[in-house]
């Protein structure tokens, strides 16, 4: 097991002469500059010859988006700063055909094309709807402040599940299912029915979120393991209620009263094959377990870059003539880079009238029931802020625990991008993400999205639609527009007013507030922002200087 804490480790002898006495000094450099240094100066200086899979001799005349790959195993030997710099380079790379970009013979699902006689090459190489649809991860994940790993404008929205088509054309003369027009039911798809539209999400604070999901999963599974034949137990983890689970006297798991979990986490059989109860914090319909799974999916779907851990070593399933397009070490690097992105914070101007409105808005947010789902903060205990790869709950097709040593990173380390969350005196890190990690039905009648991504592709239930979405993580929401799961709204107020289903009572309560109270609640939401790069404190004023919150009350706050 390799651990990265405040000081990057190095193998005795191998790195001693390479970085030597430079290491302590480098650790004192502002991390944003250090990442720049690693990308443009330090990697050539610090990395011994032969570290990367691509040699300089082979690079002459080469037009690749990624200059070099890490070889498997080297993720455990390079310093953390170098690993993170490489992860960022992978995320920012503009992939070319020489990297293996594109997937001529496979869909974004990884399966072969429905019609292999029409490969995805030339004018069919990119398709904004069915993919490949992007050159780089950072092409969509880049806001605010141009930060790689952030959210995206409406133009970066994803046409989710359209990748089950070869190349969407909506050609009425196309009769082959899932080639360009005809869906699994034999009906012609339209722009509205071929996919579910989703906004590009930001990955800020991702490591803390995934570790919370893992700890909740462990607590739920511990309750499950305590259930005996004929018993029912309440599922409560970190104070969040997930309904109840029953093991019948006949030895069958009854998940009908479980709340907030998707189908994939509830699949079960007899007593020896229980439901996993895994929290899936990624994708807005709670479909993906880990940053790593999200990464493997996205590189194949959006770029046509296939990882070896999913598609195999020395294979070329997409038929582009390139093997080993993304090494296991590459995926580890880019996963850890995403996991260590800075956490969002709060911006509260030093204006008594605004401060008063924010205080009132926070109180009304709780009073009308918003905080029952958007839980303001949840605790990571038992050193849960030590992020590890791989996730112990990864599904097949992704690196799994036991296949390699765990690689661990202390998310509270000062060498990572600020701001960070730190353990308090009680030994907990409180993650103020405003979520409960549960699925909720928030639709009004007739507002379901067309497809249900948690159903199998050829199941009739795929077409039954979906109204259940993960509770939106509100940290950083204010300056990561557009809003709602599909980015349809330009204001947070419109999003509040769109809440239906399980959230309808809170919406009605919001509408019953006075105009000033409604404005105050919105003013509170406006404080939840991603901060400019280099901001040290998590709660700042309008000049991004640290401040205390809540403030000492004055007569102006009470007016």
């Amino acid at each position: 097991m390799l651990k990265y804490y405040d000081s990057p480790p190095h193998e005795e002898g191998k790195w001693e002469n390479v970085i030597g006495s430079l290491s302590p000094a480098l650790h004192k450099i502002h991390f944003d500059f250090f990442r720049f240094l690693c990308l443009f100066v330090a990697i050539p200086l610090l990395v011994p010859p032969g570290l990367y899979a691509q040699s300089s001799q082979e690079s002459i005349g080469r037009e690749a988006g990624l200059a070099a790959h890490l070889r498997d195993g080297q993720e455990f030997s390079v310093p953390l700063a170098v690993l993170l710099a490489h992860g960022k380079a992978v995320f920012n790379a503009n992939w070319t055909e020489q990297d293996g970009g594109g997937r001529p013979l496979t869909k974004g699902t990884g399966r072969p094309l429905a019609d292999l006689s029409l490969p995805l090459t030339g004018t069919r190489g990119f398709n904004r709807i069915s993919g490949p649809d992007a050159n780089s991860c950072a092409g969509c994940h880049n806001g605010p402040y141009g930060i790689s790993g952030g959210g995206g404008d409406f133009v970066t929205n994803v046409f989710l599940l359209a990748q089950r088509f070869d190349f969407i054309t909506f050609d009425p003369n196309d009769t082959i299912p899932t080639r360009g027009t005809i869906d699994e039911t034999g009906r012609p798809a339209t722009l509205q029915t071929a996919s579910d539209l989703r906004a590009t999400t930001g990955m800020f604070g991702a490591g803390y979120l995934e570790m919370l999901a893992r700890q909740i999963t462990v607590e739920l599974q511990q309750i499950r393991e305590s259930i005996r034949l004929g018993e029912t137990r309440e599922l409560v983890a970190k104070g969040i209620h997930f309904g109840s689970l029953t093991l019948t006297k006949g030895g069958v798991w009854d998940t009908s009263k479980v709340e907030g979990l998707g189908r994939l986490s509830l699949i079960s059989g007899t007593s020896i094959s229980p439901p996993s109860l895994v929290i899936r914090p990624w994708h807005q319909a709670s479909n993906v377990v880990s940053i790593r799974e999200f990464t493997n999916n996205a590189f194949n779907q959006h770029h046509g870059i296939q990882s070896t851990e999913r598609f195999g070593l020395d294979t070329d399933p997409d038929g582009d003539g390139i093997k080993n397009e993304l090494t296991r070490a590459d995926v580890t690097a880019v996963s850890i880079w995403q996991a260590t992105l800075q956490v969002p914070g709060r911006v509260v101007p030093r204006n008594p009238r605004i401060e008063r409105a924010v205080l009132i808005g926070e109180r009304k947010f709780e009073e009308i029931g918003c905080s029952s789902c958007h839980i303001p903060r949840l605790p990571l205990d038992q050193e849960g802020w030590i992020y590890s790869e791989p996730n112990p709950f990864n599904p097949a097709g992704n690196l799994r625990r036991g296949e390699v040593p765990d690689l661990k990173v202390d998310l509270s380390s000062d060498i990572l991008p600020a701001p960070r969350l730190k353990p308090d005196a009680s030994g907990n890190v409180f993650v103020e993400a405003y979520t409960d990690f549960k699925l909720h039905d928030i639709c009004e009648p007739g507002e379901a999205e067309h497809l249900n991504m948690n159903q199998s592709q050829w199941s009739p239930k795929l077409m039954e639609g979906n109204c259940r979405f993960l509770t939106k993580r509100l940290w950083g929401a204010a300056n990561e527009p557009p809003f709602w799961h599909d980015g349809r709204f330009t204001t947070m107020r419109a999003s509040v007013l769109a809440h239906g289903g399980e959230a309808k009572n809170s919406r009605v309560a919001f509408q019953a507030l006075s105009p000033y109270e409604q404005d105050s609640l919105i003013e509170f939401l406006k404080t939840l922002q991603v901060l400019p790069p280099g901001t040290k404190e998590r709660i700042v004023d309008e000049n991004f200087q640290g401040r205390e919150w809540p403030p000492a009350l004055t007569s102006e706050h009470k007016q």
Side-chain angles (χ1 to χ4, degrees):
M1 179 186 300
L2 179 64
K3 298 180 180 180
Y4 284 133
Y5 294 113
D6 284 336
S7 297
H10 61 274
E11 293 179 309
E12 197 67 35
K14 180 175 180 180
W15 287 95
E16 194 78 47
N17 297 326
V18 180
I19 56 176
S21 61
L22 286 177
S23 184
L26 287 174
H27 294 165
K28 296 177 182 178
I29 298 174
H30 189 285
F31 191 75
D32 284 336
F33 175 72
F34 190 40
R35 286 187 296 173
F36 176 88
L37 185 68
C38 286
L39 274 172
F40 298 103
V41 180
I43 286 181
L45 294 177
L46 299 184
V47 177
L51 175 64
Y52 286 116
Q54 178 71 41
S55 73
S56 59
Q57 177 91 18
E58 295 168 333
S59 68
I60 301 298
R62 182 169 168 77
E63 298 177 83
L66 187 67
H69 294 271
L70 278 179
R71 290 195 178 95
D72 290 346
Q74 290 174 336
E75 67 269 41
F76 301 108
S77 62
V78 299
L80 176 59
V82 175
L83 187 69
L84 294 177
H86 183 72
K88 184 175 183 179
V90 173
F91 195 89
N92 288 347
N94 277 281
W95 302 99
T96 76
E97 60 186 36
Q98 294 183 14
D99 293 293
R103 38 180 172 78
L105 301 181
T106 56
K107 300 172 183 279
T109 61
R111 299 187 180 96
L113 298 181
D115 184 357
L116 292 171
S117 71
L118 291 173
L120 304 185
T121 57
T123 58
R124 292 171 59 86
F126 285 94
N127 187 305
R128 185 60 185 86
I129 299 173
S130 55
D133 56 4
N135 302 106
S136 168
C137 300
C140 295
H141 294 272
N142 55 36
Y145 306 111
I147 303 173
S148 293
D153 191 279
F154 186 86
V155 72
T156 71
N157 273 18
V158 177
F159 294 88
L160 188 71
L161 299 181
Q163 70 268 26
R164 68 194 201 282
F165 290 87
D166 294 5
F167 185 90
I168 282 192
T169 61
F170 303 123
D171 180 354
N173 297 314
D174 190 338
T175 59
I176 297 179
T178 73
R179 180 171 68 177
T181 302
I182 302 299
D183 67 18
E184 293 82 356
T185 67
R187 295 189 291 264
T190 66
L191 182 61
Q192 289 71 35
T193 65
S195 66
D196 291 333
L197 193 63
R198 294 287 174 79
T200 296
T201 187
M203 301 300 288
F204 300 109
Y208 293 100
L209 295 170
E210 183 161 322
M211 294 307 294
L212 271 174
R214 295 186 200 182
Q215 286 200 344
I216 294 170
T217 296
V218 169
E219 291 185 36
L220 294 178
Q221 290 182 346
Q222 288 173 342
I223 297 170
R224 180 198 66 194
E225 294 305 307
S226 72
I227 301 175
R228 301 293 176 258
L229 290 175
E231 290 184 346
T232 297
R233 292 287 174 87
E234 296 296 309
L235 296 174
V236 181
K238 295 193 182 295
I240 307 166
H241 191 261
F242 289 86
S244 60
L245 178 65
T246 298
L247 180 58
T248 69
K249 292 181 179 180
V252 176
W253 291 97
D254 181 358
T255 61
S256 62
K257 298 297 177 62
V258 177
E259 301 172 359
L261 297 182
R263 182 185 73 89
L264 298 175
S265 297
L266 298 179
I267 296 172
S268 61
T270 63
S271 58
I272 60 173
S273 56
S276 72
L277 306 181
V278 170
I279 300 296
R280 299 168 184 266
W282 307 113
H283 265 302
Q284 295 178 67
S286 186
N287 180 263
V288 171
V289 171
S290 66
I291 298 169
R292 191 178 200 101
E293 183 187 5
F294 187 87
T295 298
N296 280 317
N297 292 351
F299 271 95
N300 178 61
Q301 175 187 345
H302 300 303
H303 314 312
I305 294 290
Q306 299 185 321
S307 63
T308 57
E309 67 188 66
R310 176 163 296 180
F311 295 95
L313 279 166
D314 299 320
T315 64
D316 182 25
D318 62 359
D320 60 6
I322 306 295
K323 300 177 181 178
N324 305 329
E325 296 172 359
L326 208 61
T327 68
R328 185 195 72 212
D330 290 335
V331 177
T332 295
V334 72
S335 297
I336 287 181
W337 178 78
Q338 291 172 86
T340 56
L341 287 172
Q342 64 266 41
V343 299
R346 295 189 65 178
V347 180
V348 188
R350 295 181 187 274
N351 179 315
R353 291 186 177 182
I354 295 177
E355 290 174 332
R356 176 175 180 269
V358 172
L359 288 168
I360 292 171
E362 286 188 74
R363 186 170 68 247
K364 293 302 174 183
F365 184 84
E366 182 174 355
E367 289 177 359
I368 68 175
C370 302
S371 62
S372 62
C373 297
H374 295 282
I375 298 174
R377 64 179 198 162
L378 292 169
L380 273 174
D381 54 14
Q382 301 176 11
E383 295 193 335
W385 54 92
I386 307 297
Y387 179 84
S388 62
E389 277 292 333
N391 186 310
F393 305 112
N394 273 347
N398 305 276
L399 185 68
R400 306 177 90 171
R401 176 165 285 178
E403 295 178 355
V404 298
D406 281 2
L407 196 156
K408 297 192 173 187
V409 178
D410 181 0
L411 296 177
S412 69
S413 171
D414 287 332
I415 71 170
L416 299 176
R420 311 305 304 171
L421 301 178
K422 303 281 189 177
D424 64 11
S426 67
N428 292 320
V429 163
F430 282 93
V431 182
E432 299 183 10
Y434 291 86
T435 186
D436 61 0
F437 290 89
K438 290 174 63 176
L439 287 167
H440 294 279
D441 182 339
I442 59 170
C443 294
E444 288 293 324
E447 289 188 346
E449 59 181 4
H450 184 72
L451 304 173
N452 186 342
M453 74 176 302
N454 285 317
Q455 299 295 333
S456 300
Q457 179 180 344
W458 294 94
S459 167
K461 293 184 178 180
L462 174 73
M463 302 294 177
E464 291 180 1
N466 174 57
C467 267
R468 302 176 72 214
F469 297 93
L470 275 175
T471 300
K472 168 70 176 177
R473 299 181 287 271
L474 294 181
W475 67 352
N479 58 346
E480 286 192 275
F483 307 105
W484 212 240
H485 59 270
D486 55 8
R488 75 179 74 166
F489 299 122
T490 59
T491 67
M492 291 182 288
R493 187 186 300 268
S495 295
V496 172
L497 294 172
H499 280 62
E502 296 175 46
K504 182 177 180 179
N505 288 342
S506 292
R507 185 200 76 206
V508 171
F510 174 80
Q511 292 171 310
L513 296 175
S514 70
Y516 177 74
E517 289 171 331
Q518 290 185 22
D519 290 344
S520 295
L521 193 150
I522 299 302
E523 199 65 30
F524 154 61
L525 294 178
K526 286 167 58 179
T527 70
L528 304 176
Q529 296 188 28
V530 176
L531 304 179
T535 306
K536 296 295 186 182
E537 301 297 327
R538 202 175 57 81
I539 301 178
V540 298
D541 61 19
E542 67 272 32
N543 297 313
F544 302 108
Q545 300 301 308
R547 62 160 301 164
E548 291 186 3
W549 188 259
L553 296 182
T554 67
S555 58
E556 290 183 272
H557 292 113
K558 300 174 183 178
Q559 290 178 358

